[in-house]
Amino acid sequence: TMVFTTTLARAADPLPSWNDGPAKQSILTFVEKVTKPGSPDFVPVPERIAVYDNDGTLWSEQPVPVQFYFVADRVKALAPSHPEWKTKEPFASLLKGDVKKALETSGDHGLMELFMVTHTGMTTDEFAQMVKEWIATAKHPQTSKRFVDMTYQPMLEVLAYMKANGFKNFIVSGGGIEFMRPWTEAAYGIPPEQVIGSSMKTKFELRNGQAVLVRLPALNFNDDKADKPVGINQHIGRRPIAAFGNSVGDQQMLEYTHSGSAARFELLVLHDDAKREFAYGPARGLPD
């Protein structure tokens, strides 16, 4: 009987990968009080908005964010048409396979140049197909696991738990919105219309009688730091009541969530598992 009861208890636990402690309990307590009818903190379903950073919060971002590996592969594919890249940074480092050095030395200007030459000039549908084909097989150079298999199980449980309790989950990331949308539903259960990210400008064209959107070599919106709340306001139109992040890039999103009225919840993911993933962050004097 004892074993049977324990098994039932485990089956009923919505966050089985979480250690029993303050973090887990705070999530359970928050969800209970905002979803229980008659509770002084009850929040109607339409107002149950939860936002999540992606890189470092829902999946791995070390030693560089996943999208940068996509950029590197795109540079290699386009390199035969650009012989000058062999000696021009950050292209040269990418072609040598040193993705981390390329990111560290690129600066804002170099980074934008990389995204313009690798992410534009095609239609939005062509870009989405390119991403789908890449993400299906692309692997992390150190773990040899597919990037989509390097999502965090505890956070997948949070996403499912929140959704089951009437929350609408939104990704709010500095990553490209059209880089994420082709795969977030399969990876996280978050559909493309609930993904907010950085974007390039696009324009409408008729090509061979078909209406398309063409990606232009110009930044439209950088969804990071203080612009995350701006993106939330533009895309959602409601202030979230729960926010999850992992770095200073998420600070303003968490502050914006916290500044609302009624019950609020914010959580920071701490990376302290060097064996199974990576140990990094402000508390360790390393890049966050």
Side-chain angles (χ1 to χ4, degrees):
T1 307
M2 196 169 179
V3 175
F4 181 65
T5 306
T6 305
T7 304
L8 279 177
R10 282 179 181 166
D13 185 354
L15 305 175
S17 297
W18 289 71
N19 293 326
D20 288 321
K24 177 177 181 175
Q25 193 54 52
S26 66
I27 297 171
L28 297 173
T29 301
F30 169 75
V31 171
E32 183 181 1
K33 71 182 181 181
V34 298
T35 59
K36 186 176 182 180
S39 162
D41 293 308
F42 178 77
V43 175
V45 170
E47 296 173 25
R48 294 178 199 168
I49 302 295
V51 291
Y52 306 77
D53 169 56
N54 183 45
D55 298 314
T57 299
L58 298 181
W59 74 349
S60 187
E61 64 173 353
Q62 292 293 326
V64 298
V66 174
Q67 189 169 355
F68 209 67
Y69 290 107
F70 175 71
V71 169
D73 285 348
R74 290 285 302 140
V75 166
K76 290 170 187 172
L78 296 169
S81 302
H82 296 273
E84 73 279 8
W85 287 355
K86 289 180 181 179
T87 55
K88 182 182 179 182
E89 291 292 358
F91 299 94
S93 291
L94 286 180
L95 292 174
K96 291 172 187 169
D98 196 340
V99 179
K100 191 169 184 180
K101 182 184 176 184
L103 181 60
E104 290 171 350
T105 60
S106 60
D108 290 344
H109 178 76
L111 201 56
M112 187 48 54
E113 187 178 9
L114 279 172
F115 278 95
M116 285 182 183
V117 298
T118 60
H119 285 45
T120 63
M122 72 285 286
T123 69
T124 52
D125 290 339
E126 289 167 345
F127 183 73
Q129 185 58 35
M130 198 181 297
V131 172
K132 282 179 188 175
E133 292 174 0
W134 183 83
I135 202 73
T137 58
K139 294 180 178 179
H140 191 281
Q142 290 171 239
T143 67
S144 297
K145 293 181 179 180
R146 291 192 312 157
F147 290 114
V148 286
D149 294 328
M150 290 183 66
T151 53
Y152 301 138
Q153 181 61 29
M155 291 306 297
L156 295 181
E157 292 169 5
V158 168
L159 289 171
Y161 177 53
M162 301 294 272
K163 185 177 180 180
N165 281 278
F167 277 82
K168 187 175 278 191
N169 295 322
F170 287 82
I171 288 176
V172 183
S173 172
I177 189 169
E178 290 180 359
F179 173 76
M180 294 182 286
R181 281 178 166 172
W183 53 266
T184 56
E185 192 155 24
Y188 306 129
I190 297 179
E193 64 270 23
Q194 288 164 220
V195 176
I196 303 168
S198 300
S199 58
M200 306 301 289
K201 289 186 177 179
T202 59
K203 71 171 180 177
F204 175 86
E205 279 188 12
L206 284 173
R207 288 189 175 180
N208 302 318
Q210 296 293 313
V212 297
L213 289 173
V214 179
R215 293 170 60 82
L216 305 175
L219 180 67
N220 178 59
F221 182 69
N222 183 23
D223 189 51
D224 196 25
K225 297 180 180 176
D227 279 328
K228 284 198 173 189
V230 175
I232 290 169
N233 182 61
Q234 287 178 343
H235 288 262
I236 305 175
R238 293 183 189 270
R239 192 188 294 255
I241 66 168
F244 300 78
N246 79 295
S247 76
V248 292
D250 305 313
Q251 179 180 336
Q252 291 87 348
M253 178 174 78
L254 271 66
E255 289 173 341
Y256 181 64
T257 300
H258 185 71
S259 296
S261 57
R264 302 278 146 174
F265 182 84
E266 300 84 39
L267 182 140
L268 275 174
V269 175
L270 175 65
H271 295 267
D272 60 357
D273 192 340
K275 289 184 179 179
R276 289 183 296 176
E277 203 232 359
F278 300 93
Y280 69 100
R284 285 168 176 75
L286 298 172
D288 56 359

